[in-house]
Amino acid sequence: MKTCRLLSFSLFLTSMMLMSGCLSPQPKDDLFKQLGSLAGIERFVDIFIREIGESKEVRPYFEDTNLDRFREKQIEHICLLSGGPCTYTGDSIVESHKGMGVNEADFNALVDTAIRAMNKAGYSVATRNRLLARIAPLRGEVMEVK
Amino acid sequence: MRIRHTVILFFLGSLLSYIFAAPCYSNGKLLATAGTSTIEGSGGGGMVPWAMLSGYGTKDETVSSLYSTHINLSDFTMWSYGAAVSYHDRVELSASQQTIQGKENADPISMNTFGTKVRLYGDAVYSQWPQVSIGIQYKNVLDTDAANSLEAKKNSGTDVYFSATKIWLDGLLHRNTLFNITLRNSDANQLGLLGFGGDNHHRRWLWESSAAVLINRHWAVGAEYRMKPSNLSAVKEDDWKGTFIAYFPSKQLSITFSYLQLGDVAGQRDQKGPYLSLQGAF
């Protein structure tokens, strides 16, 4: 009896794990479309820049940033990450964050800022998580290695 | 009696450290990804410790947390409160007290739990492999009559556990999805409230697991399972199961509501009921 319940619980968990891989209703790379294509991404990046300006923690890192250039490269990068038809012409992620001393808390604050911006852009939870999951692997390149 | 006071002192100490450290709230990790406090005071779900340390602290931060949990079973009331400090996302220290009382005027049984957890590897959200931690819980029961009359071997004991936890940002239905497995080496009877060891078994490895999905930034639903030993032939002990919904209004507060099915507890059959827990992290 005990073994049976244990087994059924493991099966339930396993099926949950498997489902996470194959329940996605959309093909893998319609994220670009979900973000509203290039116009949607431009709108999101504008909101993102506004949110950065309002964040006490993140703003100081952008004091010397050329915002026009940042906006352009950010749009290219998100377009590329979401499977859109763009080429990224900016510096490498490591290069552009060099010497900024971004620590874990700063990175998390930036992610929180991005989430607020995605909320304001009206993206669904699913779209937000899909974009976040593609930004997350860049964490190692953004943060200062100690 | 003295140890009872130690827990309260630790509790107050954490409260004070909060008051003085109040301006530097931990920025920490993504909302809801730090979990909450278990009934034994370590960071985790409701009954299973996770690899994450309590609170949202990063490698540059120290975080304190306090919690209080109340469980209303068919024939018993259980409650627990405690405090934890997580230092630089590496070491967690916790002190807590657990109490069970029969609803028919029985004397309450209390125990203290002192825990340490050390993060060995990874970050549940960002590293490729699951975050892994090792933990130790030293427990001693303060009201020993029940343990003695049921012929438990000892009045205090130590649990050792390994936890592996992974959170996928784009998991089930594109939701943040958590999965945890814990292996615990223990001889505790009903957490330790009925003493340690017995005539059936002694120390052994037990399997525990949690699965949760964040519906959105503030709400999580999930289930937990905790294998229990049945060391005492006088009173059977069943595996614990629970389903929960948790609300994270901010990184400083979490509220967990759960429905537990604990099976046979201290001679009473089929114990189930609601669980409510509050946690504050500073």
Side-chain angles (χ1 to χ4, degrees), chain B residues 227-248:
Chain B
M227 189 179 164
K228 302 300 287 299
S230 198
N231 297 331
L232 303 166
S233 60
V235 286
K236 194 170 143 254
E237 181 170 355
D238 283 320
D239 297 348
W240 285 11
K241 277 168 290 179
T243 44
F244 65 84
I245 178 159
Y247 176 51
F248 299 85

Side-chain angles (χ1 to χ4, degrees), chain B residues 136-157:
Chain B
I136 296 170
Q137 293 172 337
Y138 170 79
K139 305 165 170 185
N140 75 308
V141 59
L142 306 171
D143 309 291
T144 54
D145 289 356
N148 293 341
S149 69
L150 294 169
E151 293 180 18
K153 294 265 190 267
K154 294 177 296 170
N155 292 324
S156 66

Side-chain angles (χ1 to χ4, degrees), chain B residues 130-235:
Chain B
Q131 181 168 336
V132 178
S133 294
I134 181 173
I136 296 170
Q137 293 172 337
Y138 170 79
K139 305 165 170 185
N140 75 308
V141 59
L142 306 171
D143 309 291
T144 54
D145 289 356
N148 293 341
S149 69
L150 294 169
E151 293 180 18
K153 294 265 190 267
K154 294 177 296 170
N155 292 324
S156 66
T158 307
D159 287 6
V160 179
Y161 63 87
F162 291 91
S163 288
T165 313
K166 177 69 189 150
I167 296 172
W168 290 272
L169 288 175
D170 183 14
L172 185 71
L173 301 170
H174 297 303
R175 296 307 192 266
N176 298 351
T177 303
L178 174 146
F179 189 67
N180 172 76
I181 289 179
T182 297
L183 278 176
R184 181 194 298 261
N185 192 271
S186 171
D187 59 359
N189 310 320
Q190 293 297 357
L191 304 178
L193 291 162
L194 302 184
F196 300 80
D199 48 348
N200 274 351
H201 295 284
H202 302 292
R203 181 163 281 283
R204 58 191 276 210
W205 286 98
L206 303 157
W207 182 77
E208 305 172 4
S209 193
S210 317
V213 174
L214 267 76
I215 306 167
N216 59 36
R217 278 198 90 195
H218 297 283
W219 290 89
V221 292
E224 288 196 301
Y225 168 85
R226 176 164 171 175
M227 189 179 164
K228 302 300 287 299
S230 198
N231 297 331
L232 303 166
S233 60
V235 286

